[in-house]
Amino acid sequence: MKKQRAGEWRGYRTAGIRLGEEYAVELRSVRTDTESARDDVLEGFHVFDKAHLVMLAEERLIPVADAVAMLKALREMEREGVAETRRRVGGGMHSGEMYLIRRLGEEVGGREHLARSSGDLGAVATRVTERDRLLSLMAKINECRTALLKVAEQHVETIMPGYFHFQHAQPVTFAHHLVTWLAPLERSFERCSQSYARVNQSPAGGVILTGSDFPINRRRTADLMGFDGPQVNTMDSIQSADLLFDAILPTVVLLTELARFGEDLALWDGNEYDVVEPADRYCSASSILINMKTPTPPMYIRGGSGAGAAALMSALLNAKGPTGDISPTRAEVVSLAWSAMETAEHYLTMIASLMDGGITVKADKMLERVNSYFATATDLAGALVRERNLPWRTAHQIIGILMRHCEEQGLRPAQVTPAMVDAAAVEYMDEAVGLTQAQITAALDPVRFINDRTLLGGPAPAEMRRQLDELRGALERDRAGLEQARQRRDAGLAKLEKAIDALVGRQE
């Protein structure tokens, strides 16, 4: 093989080899490896470069001495800084090969890309990066769950209005409402975990369609990179588009739920609600409206679902097309997905921090709000069913008439009398019902209302504590599962370094 002259270097995409001209300058920023500019993806290429070389050496597909020389050079690159060196060398996903050819010449460095393609290089690096991002996002979800559980445990008996269409519907507790945040976060963790299981399958060796006729060991390469195993079908490994959605879909759902949290917080802090107050450190002031103190986390979180929607729409457009027609913008879709994940992490951190001593819950005002409106009217109708054996619909109609009378007269729950209930009953069925004042007062009491909701999932304090214990147990289970996933990944990467040490040691 002809040796290169000292100082000479060629990339494989050079005019005169296959094409007659260099790549147009104005197109170089939109090539399929644009995502390789990100440090984490460059690290992903690096991991694959090392694992592939170890496998090639162990299977005796290239001279062991050449593999050792290249592995030593890649470790030198690590001392210089992987991302910085690869950006300097250029070549995007092929920066490792270009670096090795520069350092060792094409006779040695040119062996690195045997039985590989740009297809599995990009797919592997994407998955190496995406699994790390999923693990990071899952950790942030758990941090937020931890903070919310702590607050919920303090407010099992804090009664507040439960809103439906922005109106008082029924009393709930602050803890019961927080569980409507906690439960979706638990499910978001589960979605991310399911996505992680699919993402953490190695496409290495899929090459571009049919793999290679060289007897590569795909299981060994997967194991060395900390994957749970190889994705079996070689064409599916590289060409299928459904895996584009494995980071996007759970993130879209998560961001949508977080936006709902933000809306709740913004409303509760508003002057008309005024039942929670974020600490000043979580608020901004207006340059002109001196009276305003605006909570910053809700302001951002409410609009976060837009980041996920952009990634989802881009993926849907990108995924279409016949097999083998991988869009050159796929890397941009992946970048949008990861940006959405970063946004979700940021918002989870905001909520966790806010809940960790950064918010005042105005329990007295919450109870005052509950007592000001007829959120317990359902149970007054229930009293007619229990005490007078009326059909539910009949009781419902009578109390509906009572509500209209109270609204017309501007009356509150504490002002309802037996005579008023009877008047409504007579208007509906020409007959009084004879509820006592004690029965009316008990039916309209929000504390009694909460304590009687002992059904599975209800807000009664004992049941609420049981739910929180269950959520805490699920959180501990998910923490353990997350740690196990990290350990499996790290164990594989540790095997890679040990395998390199073993190869290098045999040559020294």
Side-chain angles (χ1 to χ4, degrees):
M1 180 178 178
K2 181 183 177 182
K3 300 291 185 181
Q4 291 171 244
R5 293 188 297 273
E8 180 186 7
W9 172 75
R10 296 192 308 270
Y12 72 89
R13 175 59 161 86
T14 302
I17 295 179
R18 168 64 177 83
L19 302 169
E21 296 180 312
E22 291 288 356
Y23 206 61
V25 173
E26 62 271 22
L27 296 181
R28 291 175 190 172
S29 62
V30 294
R31 295 192 60 186
T32 56
D33 53 6
T34 52
E35 188 59 20
S36 66
R38 299 182 71 119
D39 289 0
D40 41 13
V41 180
L42 291 170
E43 295 282 355
F45 297 142
H46 191 72
V47 168
F48 188 16
D49 283 348
K50 292 197 296 183
H52 186 67
L53 282 170
V54 168
M55 182 275 295
L56 291 177
E58 290 178 345
E59 300 298 322
R60 299 301 191 264
L61 296 176
I62 62 174
V64 174
D66 289 352
V68 168
M70 287 186 275
L71 289 166
K72 284 183 176 180
L74 290 177
R75 281 188 164 177
E76 289 178 20
M77 180 196 285
E78 291 167 5
R79 288 189 285 273
E80 298 171 22
V82 170
E84 297 84 349
T85 304
R86 285 175 176 260
R87 278 197 299 269
R88 185 183 72 248
V89 169
M93 62 180 66
H94 298 281
S95 53
E97 181 185 7
M98 292 188 174
Y99 174 82
L100 293 173
I101 289 173
R102 285 190 184 188
R103 289 288 304 271
L104 305 171
E106 195 169 302
E107 178 66 28
V108 175
R111 299 183 186 278
E112 190 228 20
H113 199 56
L114 179 69
R116 278 203 317 188
S117 77
S118 299
D120 50 2
L121 258 168
V124 168
T126 296
R127 293 194 194 206
V128 167
T129 306
E130 196 157 286
R131 70 180 180 185
D132 291 349
R133 288 177 174 273
L134 281 166
L135 291 174
S136 178
L137 181 59
M138 290 155 70
K140 289 296 181 182
I141 290 172
N142 285 348
E143 287 176 16
C144 194
R145 291 164 71 186
T146 301
L148 287 168
L149 265 171
K150 183 177 179 181
V151 176
E153 288 165 350
Q154 298 166 3
H155 292 283
V156 169
E157 299 183 25
T158 301
I159 300 174
M160 68 175 291
Y163 295 97
F164 191 61
H165 296 305
F166 301 99
Q167 299 183 52
H168 286 219
Q170 290 182 316
V172 297
T173 63
F174 193 54
H176 196 252
H177 195 112
L178 289 181
V179 169
T180 69
W181 297 0
L182 276 160
L185 287 176
E186 181 182 325
R187 293 192 291 271
S188 282
F189 182 94
E190 181 182 21
R191 291 185 194 98
C192 289
S193 181
Q194 291 167 345
S195 290
Y196 181 86
R198 288 186 293 272
V199 167
N200 204 39
Q201 301 294 317
S202 171
V207 189
I208 197 65
L209 289 173
T210 61
S212 172
D213 62 339
F214 287 93
I216 59 175
N217 187 338
R218 295 188 67 208
R219 295 186 187 281
R220 176 59 168 165
T221 309
D223 191 40
L224 291 171
M225 293 188 286
F227 285 108
D228 293 331
Q231 188 174 346
V232 177
N233 185 275
T234 57
M235 187 182 292
D236 177 51
S237 296
I238 310 303
Q239 300 292 344
S240 294
D242 63 306
L243 286 164
L244 280 175
F245 297 93
D246 271 313
I248 295 171
L249 290 177
T251 305
V252 168
V253 175
L254 174 59
L255 283 168
T256 301
E257 283 299 323
L258 294 181
R260 179 171 65 87
F261 304 173
E263 294 281 5
D264 286 348
L265 287 169
L267 286 172
W268 293 346
D269 178 66
N271 297 124
E272 278 68 33
Y273 288 70
D274 193 28
V275 293
V276 301
E277 183 178 1
D280 284 1
R281 62 184 177 275
Y282 296 106
C283 299
S284 60
S286 169
S287 63
I288 185 171
L289 304 172
I290 305 169
N291 54 302
M292 287 187 63
K293 185 178 97 169
T294 305
T296 302
M299 184 168 60
Y300 284 103
I301 296 167
R302 289 162 61 192
S305 57
L312 178 58
M313 290 305 299
S314 182
L316 288 169
L317 292 170
N318 188 280
K320 65 180 181 63
T323 301
D325 183 30
I326 296 178
S327 169
T329 62
R330 181 171 291 190
E332 295 170 18
V333 176
V334 173
S335 183
L336 283 172
W338 293 346
S339 293
M341 294 171 80
E342 290 171 359
T343 297
E345 284 197 37
H346 185 49
Y347 291 167
L348 287 162
T349 299
M350 281 186 176
I351 294 174
S353 181
L354 185 64
M355 291 295 159
D356 188 15
I359 193 169
T360 298
V361 179
K362 301 179 180 180
D364 292 342
K365 190 163 283 189
M366 285 180 172
L367 186 58
E368 177 189 328
R369 292 277 191 273
V370 172
N371 282 318
S372 297
Y373 299 93
F374 285 92
T376 53
T378 302
D379 278 16
L380 187 53
L384 290 177
V385 173
R386 289 189 179 91
E387 304 296 336
R388 296 297 177 263
N389 197 29
L390 294 180
W392 167 256
R393 185 55 57 203
T394 302
H396 179 276
Q397 296 293 84
I398 291 170
I399 301 306
I401 293 170
L402 174 66
M403 294 297 97
R404 172 163 50 81
H405 291 170
C406 289
E407 182 179 341
E408 291 169 351
Q409 300 171 52
L411 301 177
R412 296 301 188 194
Q415 297 170 289
V416 175
T417 65
M420 294 169 62
V421 178
D422 283 341
V426 168
E427 182 177 332
Y428 185 70
M429 63 179 193
D430 297 324
E431 183 182 338
V433 289
L435 283 184
T436 67
Q437 186 65 58
Q439 289 169 335
I440 293 170
T441 300
L444 293 175
D445 179 14
V447 176
R448 192 270 329 145
F449 182 102
I450 293 295
N451 289 336
D452 283 359
R453 259 58 180 189
T454 58
L455 76 164
L456 180 68
E463 167 57 16
M464 198 69 254
R465 291 188 180 94
R466 188 202 65 78
Q467 291 177 54
L468 293 175
D469 285 344
E470 196 172 86
L471 287 163
R472 192 181 305 106
L475 175 58
E476 291 305 315
R477 175 202 67 208
D478 291 344
R479 282 176 177 154
L482 177 60
E483 183 57 30
Q484 289 169 7
R486 283 175 172 153
Q487 288 176 0
R488 289 196 304 271
R489 176 202 61 187
D490 294 346
L493 295 173
K495 286 181 186 177
L496 173 58
E497 298 307 319
K498 288 180 181 177
I500 296 172
D501 290 341
L503 284 170
V504 171
R506 285 201 296 266
Q507 292 292 309
E508 291 180 343

